[in-house]
Amino acid sequence: MLRIHCPYCCEDRAEEEFVYAGEAGITRPLAPEQLDDAAWGDYLFFRTNPRGAHQEMWFHASGCRRYFKVLRDTVTYALAASCRMDESLPLPAVDVLP
Amino acid sequence: MARAATGISNSGHQRMQRYSFFGLARHAASFHEHWQRAWRNPVMKPGYDVIIVGGGGHGLATAYYLAKNHGVRNVAVVEKGYLGGGNTARNTTIVRSNYLWDAAAHLYEFSLKLWEGLSQELNFNLMFSQRGVLNLGHSLQEMRDIERRVTANRLNGIDGEVLTTREVKALVPLINDSPAIRYPVLGASWQPRGGTARHDALAWGYARAADNLGVDLIQQTEVTGLRIEGGVVTGVETTRGPIHARKVACVAAGNSGVLAAMAGLRLPIESHPLQALVSEPIKPVLDCVVMSNAVHAYISQSDKGDLVIGAGIDSYNGYGQRGSLPVVEHCLGAIVELFPAFSRVRMNRNWGGIVDTCPDASPIIGTTPVEGLFFNCGWGTGGFKATPGSGYVFADTVANGRPHPLAAPFSLERFHTGALIDEHGAAGVAH
């Protein structure tokens, strides 16, 4: 069971209140019609899937119903930080991929 | 038997002792003290023709078919833990082939046909039991999807029937057929040739048969890097030193993305925990497999009597080989609603495996931009059933350097061409 900190409600709440919403920091291209198939496929389907620190989005479905960002370790499942969508997560300085 | 066991085969090691009733009786007479080891524990050679990264079912099957069908016997399977210790040991052992789209249906049906003769071929009892698989429908839309899928299956020569609630009740008397429950059983698809098998036996059977053909099974050795020179793979780095190879085939399930990153490649895969659990053993009560996509639960009873129950994947990414309890609670809630009689059954164990899921719930099998480097991954929640077919077509792909016709639609390029094989309906979560 994860206990996730919602930066809007300002408290740790049980995982069941939240819905996972995928990797954070994926920006939809402003002009999709100008992309080639490779760039569009990369945007749609390719994620970093790191073994270690992962920045991701969660939706507080049973709470404030707002999206926010979380920094979580995908091996230990420890949550390092949460922030609002317009803020930046304190990303680790080194890439944790082995 | 004993004389045959002392013979040396032309690949330079002891010939495989065949398992049989008479062998069992003979060994019983000597108190089972002289059984041959099922496979060797070889010393790693400096180089091989093919290195297979990952000693699970798929990797071992690939090694076996490389040696058997293609005469490529200078092969090593490099495994970081022990053989069949990853998802091969963690799945819920369901075998079926009722997939919707032609490409997937052909691949899984090819695999099911291999399953049907595999115990004899490998001389290893895989406990393959074609007890039938039910996929329940709980809404009108789900019943329409089931009718569509069964019709598609039959056009592809795969057995399947659409059953009514009454017919489901006749097959599974314990099931709750009340129309008043939250997700009432409106019917099901039924594949009589589906069933279950012994998951460990599959890995062990392939390991023993591959070893007998001269394949080196290297355990407790982790691949830490891929050697690539000028766009051509030349070997791997391991925790026990480098190994040279002309071809490297990666079959590492949830850790495929980590391996791909070593080659500078990206895969459209995300790794998620998938959980399962078994109960205490009880008397035989359930003689087929019951699955439900809508409520994310599936159940069968093993020959030992344990109820083997599978849940859905955890929504978040994870490599931790464990998931969250709310997923288990959700799954067991659905099981108890479908089978009120199981409400007092105690669960013995719960575990998680790391499944490598693709956006279209179909695997990736094929070549990569790096010459001599091949990937077979992305099987997600449903790789166990496909193990024989996967190994067969991947061995062919590796041996010939081009995709096997059955594997061709499952190329990595499909995520750029858009030719996805959307099997969320048939694969979904339930396996």
Side-chain angles (χ1 to χ4, degrees):
Chain A
M1 171 76 83
L2 308 177
R3 284 185 66 80
I4 299 170
H5 183 81
C6 172
Y8 294 101
C9 302
C10 298
E11 57 181 332
D12 292 352
R13 305 292 296 174
E15 171 192 344
E16 285 171 289
E17 291 190 9
F18 300 89
V19 174
Y20 179 69
E23 183 172 348
I26 311 264
T27 313
R28 184 183 166 87
L30 287 173
E33 69 281 3
Q34 289 169 13
L35 296 184
D36 58 10
D37 289 349
W40 183 242
D42 282 352
Y43 159 69
L44 283 182
F45 301 123
F46 287 74
R47 300 293 177 260
T48 56
N49 194 30
R51 191 184 171 92
H54 185 231
Q55 51 170 335
E56 55 201 24
M57 294 183 294
W58 287 80
F59 174 56
H60 199 174
S62 306
C64 60
R65 299 196 61 78
R66 279 192 274 198
Y67 285 88
F68 58 95
K69 292 196 276 193
V70 170
L71 185 65
R72 188 178 58 90
D73 189 298
T74 57
V75 180
T76 65
Y77 300 169
L79 285 88
S82 299
C83 71
R84 300 197 314 247
M85 290 302 283
D86 58 348
E87 295 171 341
S88 295
L89 287 166
L91 293 179
V94 282
D95 195 343
V96 283
L97 267 179
Chain B
M1 291 291 296
R3 184 170 298 167
T6 59
I8 302 295
S9 71
N10 52 11
S11 54
H13 64 278
Q14 206 178 37
R15 190 181 300 148
M16 184 171 83
Q17 206 169 40
R18 285 188 63 78
Y19 295 149
S20 67
F21 175 76
F22 296 107
L24 190 64
R26 183 190 300 270
H27 281 288
S30 59
F31 304 100
H32 297 292
E33 285 179 352
H34 305 294
W35 284 100
Q36 185 189 36
R37 289 177 69 99
W39 50 81
R40 298 162 296 135
N41 195 14
V43 178
M44 198 166 88
K45 288 194 275 184
Y48 292 92
D49 290 342
V50 178
I51 289 176
I52 294 168
V53 183
H58 289 248
L60 294 165
T62 306
Y64 169 71
Y65 289 115
L66 266 175
K68 178 185 166 241
N69 294 349
H70 304 282
V72 183
R73 299 189 174 197
N74 187 21
V75 175
V77 176
V78 182
E79 164 59 42
K80 70 175 176 180
Y82 55 93
L83 299 179
N87 288 353
T88 305
R90 294 162 193 273
N91 63 80
T92 47
T93 77
I94 297 166
V95 179
R96 60 188 176 91
S97 65
N98 52 357
Y99 280 70
L100 174 65
W101 298 104
D102 289 355
H106 292 157
L107 181 61
Y108 288 101
E109 176 62 12
F110 179 69
S111 186
L112 181 54
K113 284 184 176 144
L114 286 176
W115 269 110
E116 286 172 336
L118 203 58
S119 287
Q120 287 73 22
E121 181 179 341
L122 298 179
N123 180 232
F124 204 99
N125 183 6
L126 305 178
M127 296 166 70
F128 180 48
S129 158
Q130 292 180 292
R131 57 185 67 183
V133 173
L134 276 175
N135 290 79
L136 303 180
H138 300 281
S139 66
L140 285 176
Q141 184 56 48
E142 236 189 326
M143 288 313 297
R144 289 186 198 112
D145 290 342
I146 282 173
E147 277 174 35
R148 178 188 181 204
R149 182 161 48 76
V150 167
T151 308
N153 287 163
R154 293 169 74 128
L155 288 171
N156 273 321
I158 297 168
D159 59 326
E161 288 172 52
V162 180
L163 303 188
T164 62
T165 310
R166 187 186 292 257
E167 289 167 323
V168 171
K169 181 73 175 171
L171 267 175
V172 188
L174 271 184
I175 207 163
N176 184 356
D177 61 348
S178 161
I181 59 177
R182 175 68 183 86
Y183 294 102
V185 177
L186 299 187
S189 73
W190 170 241
Q191 188 182 18
R193 284 164 63 242
T196 60
R198 175 80 204 282
H199 53 331
D200 291 328
L202 181 67
W204 298 338
Y206 273 125
R208 176 166 165 269
D211 175 86
N212 182 52
L213 293 172
V215 172
D216 280 358
L217 309 176
I218 317 279
Q219 304 181 65
Q220 305 290 332
T221 306
E222 183 170 355
V223 169
T224 54
L226 296 171
R227 287 189 159 187
I228 296 165
E229 289 164 22
V232 182
V233 77
T234 60
V236 299
E237 306 281 349
T238 75
T239 47
R240 294 201 201 178
I243 321 177
H244 184 78
R246 290 196 298 114
K247 292 178 178 177
V248 176
C250 299
V251 204
N255 287 300
S256 296
V258 178
L259 276 173
M262 293 175 190
L265 298 173
R266 293 178 71 200
L267 296 174
I269 279 178
E270 288 198 289
S271 302
H272 293 267
L274 176 66
Q275 298 183 80
L277 49 166
V278 294
S279 75
E280 59 190 344
I282 55 176
K283 287 186 178 179
V285 288
L286 184 63
D287 63 356
C288 65
V289 181
V290 180
M291 318 176 60
S292 168
N293 275 359
V295 296
H296 284 180
Y298 43 109
I299 185 166
S300 62
Q301 189 172 23
S302 77
D303 293 351
K304 264 192 311 186
D306 324 337
L307 296 174
V308 183
I309 297 172
I313 61 170
D314 280 73
S315 58
Y316 52 79
N317 292 21
Y319 286 86
Q321 293 195 322
R322 65 184 189 283
S324 291
L325 282 175
V327 173
V328 173
E329 191 180 14
H330 175 88
C331 166
L332 290 181
I335 292 288
V336 170
E337 190 182 58
L338 284 172
F339 296 96
F342 294 161
S343 65
R344 298 297 180 90
V345 176
R346 285 164 297 190
M347 293 299 139
N348 255 353
R349 285 177 290 123
N350 158 233
W351 66 91
I354 301 308
V355 297
D356 41 342
T357 56
C358 272
D360 59 354
S362 287
I364 298 167
I365 313 168
T367 57
T368 66
V370 179
E371 196 183 323
L373 180 66
F374 301 85
F375 267 89
N376 181 358
C377 57
W379 289 92
T381 55
F384 176 72
K385 69 174 84 66
T387 306
S390 159
Y392 192 103
V393 300
F394 193 46
D396 184 88
T397 302
V398 171
N400 296 310
R402 54 99 189 96
H404 182 279
L406 283 176
F410 296 93
S411 71
L412 184 56
E413 288 83 52
R414 75 179 189 270
F415 296 97
H416 289 139
T417 62
L420 303 187
I421 305 159
D422 180 5
E423 284 294 353
H424 284 285
V429 151
H431 282 277

